[in-house]
Amino acid sequence: QRLVRFKPRLSMVALDASSRAGWQERLRFGLDHGNFYSLQHTVVNLEDESEGFLESLSYLREEQGDIDQQEFLPAADACNMSAELDRAIFPGLLDAIANQPGTQRHILNISAGSLADEGFPAWFGQQLAQRAIAGIDRSRNHRRVYAFLHRPGLAGHHGFIDF
């Protein structure tokens, strides 16, 4: 027999008002005290030697242990804070990417709040321009992000930028 453990994602569980308030307080504390950080990991194709890429994942540092974005982003969406988190976290990620040698591809996960924010593509384009990240076609990237924003049925989903 096979044991299967099911742990529902936070987004699958409705947050009641007290849970939302608790998450909002935790997220605000994390923003105010610089408790968000990101790590990059390499994703490679094991079947051939095609080019891999780096994916950036964010975490919320707390005393009882770090919380990954799969848990805090749905809560941030429920609290209408996810776009604010992206705008706080992305500049540090882009600084790290700008300071890396070479022209490797990168994946940045975008929250549902940023996908719904019509100002996000312009803001993201400005962030790229400020850092003059080598090898990025900013106009192509801008259109790709904008396409995500206008795809129907995105509520509650997360997208990504591949550059």
Side-chain angles (χ1 to χ4, degrees):
Q1 265 191 346
R2 195 173 128 207
L3 175 66
V4 178
R5 181 175 160 209
F6 176 70
K7 181 179 177 187
R9 285 186 49 213
L10 182 60
S11 61
M12 297 173 65
V13 179
L15 291 178
D16 61 24
S18 64
S19 293
R20 259 195 313 278
W23 268 108
Q24 192 167 16
E25 184 178 330
R26 292 166 74 183
L27 296 169
R28 177 62 50 208
F29 184 88
L31 281 170
D32 292 346
H33 293 90
N35 289 347
F36 288 93
Y37 68 96
S38 298
L39 299 174
Q40 292 183 325
H41 68 95
T42 304
V43 179
V44 295
N45 184 345
L46 297 176
E47 294 179 4
D48 63 26
E49 294 183 24
S50 61
E51 179 184 352
F53 54 89
L54 293 173
E55 181 178 24
S56 297
L57 301 173
S58 298
Y59 298 85
L60 170 59
R61 185 177 295 116
E62 290 193 332
E63 285 184 22
Q64 59 274 32
D66 296 352
I67 301 170
D68 72 38
Q69 67 187 26
Q70 295 298 332
E71 188 171 349
F72 73 74
L73 276 180
D77 285 336
C79 298
N80 296 317
M81 291 181 68
S82 60
E84 181 181 1
L85 289 179
D86 283 351
R87 288 179 186 239
I89 293 169
F90 278 18
L93 284 172
L94 293 173
D95 287 343
I97 290 168
N99 291 321
Q100 291 175 0
T103 56
Q104 220 166 359
R105 287 177 57 199
H106 296 267
I107 298 285
L108 301 181
N109 293 293
I110 307 171
S111 71
S114 290
L115 290 173
D117 177 1
E118 291 193 15
F120 179 80
W123 176 84
F124 188 75
Q126 290 171 348
Q127 297 300 307
L128 294 175
Q130 287 174 5
R131 289 158 181 83
I133 297 174
I136 293 179
D137 177 351
R138 287 175 186 81
S139 62
R140 179 183 61 88
N141 235 2
H142 190 273
R143 283 195 302 272
R144 180 175 289 165
V145 174
Y146 197 74
F148 273 126
L149 292 172
H150 290 89
R151 189 187 305 155
L154 274 177
H157 292 84
H158 301 278
F160 64 92
I161 302 172
D162 174 10
F163 62 92

